[in-house]
Amino acid sequence: MYPAGRVVIGAMLLILAGRTATHALAADPQAYQVTVVATGDATLDTTLKAASSLVSLQKTQAVGPFALAGRARADEARLRTALESFGYYAGRIDIEVAGHPVSDPRLPDLLGDLAKGSVAPVRITVERGPLFHVGTVTLQLPPGEMLSMTEQVAFGLEAGQPAVASDVLAARGRLLTTLQEEGHAFADVGQPTAYLRPATRTLDIVTTAKLGPRVDIGPIQLVGLVKVDPAYVRRRLLVHPGQLYQPSRIEAARQDLASLGVFSDVGVAAAPSLDQAGTLPLTFDFTEGLRHTVALQGGYSTDLGGSAGVTWTHHNLFGHAEKLDLVALLTGLGGTSQNGLGYDVYADLSKPDYYHRDQTLDLRVEGLKQDLEAYNQTALLVHAIVSRKISASWSISAGVGAEQERIVQQGVSRSYTLAFVPLTASYDSTHLANPLDDPTRGFRISLNATPTYSLGSQSGDGSNGLSGSGGNSFFTILQGSAATYFDLARFGLTKAGRSVLAVRIVVGTVQGATTFDLPPDQRLYAGGSGTVRGFKYQGVGPLFSNGNPVGGTSLDAGSFEFRQRIGKSFGVAAFADAGQVSASSAPLHGKLRIGAGVGARYYTPIGPIRLDVAVPLNKPAGGDSFELYIGLGEAF
């Protein structure tokens, strides 16, 4: 039992395991095995083991009998500190080595008498004793200063609550944060001091605080800008002179500028004192990133074969964080759903803050060639799309586009000119900075509508199973997808982010045209890594008599995947997919195809490298027996 007196609350913090300075006095190291008797509080037990040098060093730092005795005696103080951090100030700690208490002065000699090569049992028993509570709480302020009701609630330390060190220290942090958020830039809250009262089993807490003046943001200086236009950065800033000084708002402004993709580092610092106007100047310090980068990309699946290419990027084309991508990809390097090589070459210009903050203009010109089992396509596409983030989770986009293409299907060649208006609404509550990272919670929902006008002309005899006008048509493609992620840590089954269930559904329909009135590339298909794994690309749905895909006007698919992290860099997955495509305009028609498989993951700083192997559970005639997929990022 402690006598009444003054203790510093910081001493109640957990002391992590470290090395003892005692040196061995015997030549032969003494092996030992530690048993920590459970206290009935699993969290306390974990803390005690972490604080114990006997536990942490038993396998890595063998010492002789004298040093082992010293290590055990030092553990008494470490374990008491850990016990007190949970509010137990009248507990008892007993440590026995080979059946002898550490208080026995003969312990080193007794350990020296053990048989050579024996393992000394170490038993640590901790009795918690009564839980101490907070007694009086005193907050000392300079004359003339007083806390508002909001600040008092933020402090939140009350008489009668358990005297847990982390809770007492957290009260100090909450008060300091609240004071600064209310504009007290120079507020200070001292480390709390506790006075132990054994008779009442309480701790009286005394904390000193100083509010200081409430201040506004003063002049904002931008340092380090070379190629980025300072006027653009100032327009982009989320904080301005004259606003109340708030660290959270200033940090949000820093992160927002860092998200532009043109800076390798963005820092912000407040001046050490107020200026003559009584405001607090800020300085944003920028380090610009590389203006030009080159990236190689590639992927492989047994159905689509290999793809390889290069991307050249200009990250700040006109000084306003415009991004220009020039991409050249070679596709169709083998693959069971490919008949030959293809290419995908495009230029993409992205302009942020287009006439409105968080509004981006995307311009693209693309040349495309594909030689698939379903059709052979050569096309030139252009589009302009404006996207806007309307909240932390919601974004919308609208645009216009045109496509000139020639498609050969079943020996019939048609040329099409298409004009379309893509409309999209997206919801993402996973809030990941990198879209390639593994989601562990939240939803991703996307709704798309693309009204399209097609002007077509046909050449060929039409004797290969094709029907329909092949001429002019107006139709609308409607598609929706939703995915959600469940971290099993919510149910106490695993650690956070280690075991995740992922579920996805995809639904699509085409309104206004039948299957053969549509250009083949505008029809709906399923199969492949994006819908039903285990079936080759476009391999789910109606087929021509020769087994080639027809496509359809409705689609529905679902996926269920379990993802398990292993260690720091590896993971595994198990999944099942199902889907169907039909010529009906309503989903849930057609032949349901089901695939299942397993996968491996290697986690890198830019995202997981994914390898999936899937098999069809109801393979159609002529279908592949399995599919292999290698790529960057999860399937969904």
Side-chain angles (χ1 to χ4, degrees):
M1 183 74 71
Y2 277 90
R6 176 178 179 274
V7 295
V8 179
I9 199 71
M12 297 163 63
L13 287 174
L14 167 64
I15 298 179
L16 297 178
R19 298 175 182 264
T20 303
T22 306
H23 295 282
L25 300 179
D28 295 330
Q30 176 59 59
Y32 65 92
Q33 179 65 44
V34 182
T35 299
V36 180
V37 179
T39 64
D41 183 333
T43 304
L44 175 59
D45 292 342
T46 300
T47 303
L48 291 170
K49 292 175 182 178
S52 171
S53 292
L54 286 167
V55 172
S56 62
L57 301 179
Q58 63 179 323
K59 294 182 179 180
T60 59
Q61 299 291 329
V63 292
F66 282 92
L68 177 57
R71 181 180 293 177
R73 288 166 182 154
D75 249 15
E76 285 188 301
R78 303 170 73 86
L79 294 171
R80 184 166 297 282
T81 299
L83 185 62
E84 291 171 357
S85 73
F86 280 75
Y88 298 105
Y89 282 85
R92 179 178 174 179
I93 298 170
D94 292 316
I95 303 177
E96 292 182 351
V97 183
H100 305 287
V102 295
S103 58
D104 190 335
R106 301 172 300 156
L107 182 59
D109 294 329
L110 294 171
L111 293 177
D113 293 337
L114 295 176
K116 186 175 182 179
S118 63
V119 178
V122 178
R123 184 179 178 86
I124 299 175
T125 304
V126 177
E127 296 180 6
R128 291 178 291 177
L131 178 63
F132 280 56
H133 293 76
V134 174
T136 61
V137 179
T138 304
L139 194 60
Q140 297 176 343
L141 297 169
E145 292 188 350
M146 61 184 301
L147 297 182
S148 67
M149 182 60 67
T150 300
E151 293 159 353
Q152 294 178 36
V153 171
F155 185 56
L157 194 61
E158 298 180 353
Q161 72 180 71
V164 178
S166 59
D167 294 342
V168 176
L169 296 175
R172 170 187 179 268
R174 289 194 305 268
L175 177 57
L176 181 59
T177 297
T178 301
L179 290 173
Q180 292 176 338
E181 285 298 306
E182 293 188 342
H184 297 283
F186 300 103
D188 181 54
V189 180
Q191 286 285 354
T193 300
Y195 294 87
L196 192 65
R197 310 299 184 194
T200 57
R201 295 174 180 170
T202 58
L203 256 66
D204 294 341
I205 307 297
V206 177
T207 303
T208 60
K210 181 179 70 174
L211 277 63
R214 181 179 279 120
V215 300
D216 292 335
I217 295 173
I220 297 176
Q221 185 179 10
L222 307 179
V223 177
L225 297 178
V226 180
K227 295 295 184 179
V228 180
D229 185 356
Y232 169 71
V233 174
R234 289 194 181 277
R235 289 196 303 271
R236 178 83 186 190
L237 266 176
L238 292 172
V239 293
H240 306 285
Q243 291 180 336
L244 183 67
Y245 173 89
Q246 291 180 293
S248 63
R249 178 177 290 183
I250 295 169
E251 173 60 16
R254 188 198 68 80
Q255 292 183 12
D256 176 71
L257 293 173
S259 71
L260 286 173
V262 294
F263 303 115
S264 61
D265 185 58
V266 179
V268 60
S273 60
L274 302 180
D275 61 11
Q276 293 182 347
T279 61
L280 188 61
L282 297 179
T283 299
F284 283 84
D285 193 353
F286 301 91
T287 302
E288 294 187 3
L290 295 174
R291 297 182 68 201
H292 309 129
T293 58
V294 176
L296 301 177
Q297 56 183 297
Y300 176 79
S301 63
T302 49
D303 54 353
L304 287 175
S307 64
V310 60
T311 300
W312 179 89
T313 302
H314 194 308
H315 294 278
N316 186 35
L317 189 61
F318 302 120
H320 293 176
E322 300 91 348
K323 178 180 165 184
L324 175 64
D325 287 323
L326 301 179
V327 180
L329 285 172
L330 184 65
T331 62
L333 301 171
T336 57
S337 65
Q338 299 274 3
N339 292 324
L341 292 177
Y343 59 79
D344 189 3
V345 180
Y346 62 88
D348 191 289
L349 175 63
S350 176
K351 180 174 178 55
D353 299 328
Y354 179 70
Y355 285 106
H356 194 281
R357 182 184 175 79
D358 292 328
Q359 184 165 281
T360 301
L361 171 65
D362 182 80
L363 302 173
R364 174 176 287 201
V365 178
E366 182 173 13
L368 178 68
K369 183 180 186 302
Q370 301 183 88
D371 192 356
L372 304 170
E373 277 193 342
Y375 53 81
N376 180 292
Q377 176 191 31
T378 304
L380 176 66
L381 302 88
V382 296
H383 76 218
I385 297 176
V386 176
S387 59
R388 183 167 176 178
K389 193 171 182 65
I390 57 177
S391 73
S393 300
W394 280 101
S395 60
I396 57 175
S397 68
V400 294
E403 179 177 356
Q404 179 64 50
E405 64 181 359
R406 183 179 67 84
I407 292 183
V408 179
Q409 185 179 56
Q410 296 293 99
V412 177
S413 176
R414 288 190 176 123
S415 294
Y416 298 93
T417 301
L418 295 90
F420 49 90
V421 180
L423 308 170
T424 302
S426 300
Y427 175 84
D428 187 345
S429 61
T430 61
H431 301 307
L432 295 177
N434 178 6
L436 293 177
D437 285 342
D438 267 1
T440 60
R441 60 181 178 85
F443 292 85
R444 285 176 172 168
I445 301 172
S446 179
L447 304 172
N448 306 279
T450 309
T452 303
Y453 179 76
S454 172
L455 176 64
S457 61
Q458 176 177 324
S459 62
D461 60 13
S463 62
N464 290 300
L466 295 177
S467 60
S469 66
N472 302 349
S473 61
F474 178 80
F475 54 90
T476 300
I477 303 173
L478 302 172
Q479 286 187 287
S481 66
T484 187
Y485 309 90
F486 300 93
D487 192 338
L488 296 185
R490 299 180 188 177
F491 308 107
L493 300 177
T494 183
K495 293 182 180 180
R498 306 296 295 179
S499 304
V500 176
L501 294 178
V503 181
R504 176 187 63 180
I505 58 172
V506 179
V507 178
T509 180
V510 181
Q511 299 293 317
T514 63
T515 297
F516 290 106
D517 289 331
L518 294 170
D521 65 317
Q522 301 297 302
R523 300 170 194 168
L524 301 180
Y525 299 87
S529 63
T531 49
V532 185
R533 287 165 286 187
F535 295 83
K536 60 185 177 181
Y537 181 65
Q538 299 179 330
V540 173
L543 303 175
F544 289 107
S545 58
N546 61 357
N548 289 341
V550 176
T553 53
S554 71
L555 156 72
D556 55 88
S559 299
F560 178 90
E561 185 164 302
F562 172 71
R563 301 167 183 169
Q564 176 65 51
R565 295 288 289 260
I566 300 175
K568 181 180 179 181
S569 300
F570 294 92
V572 294
F575 55 85
D577 301 339
Q580 54 198 351
V581 173
S582 79
S584 168
S585 61
L588 302 179
H589 290 78
K591 176 65 175 178
L592 184 67
R593 299 294 182 183
I594 304 173
V598 295
R601 307 288 185 266
Y602 178 71
Y603 295 93
T604 73
I606 59 175
I609 297 175
R610 172 172 54 95
L611 186 152
D612 287 338
V613 179
V615 296
L617 300 187
N618 54 346
K619 181 180 68 171
D624 292 346
S625 298
F626 73 95
E627 301 293 346
L628 172 69
Y629 310 96
I630 300 175
L632 184 63
E634 295 289 0
F636 61 93

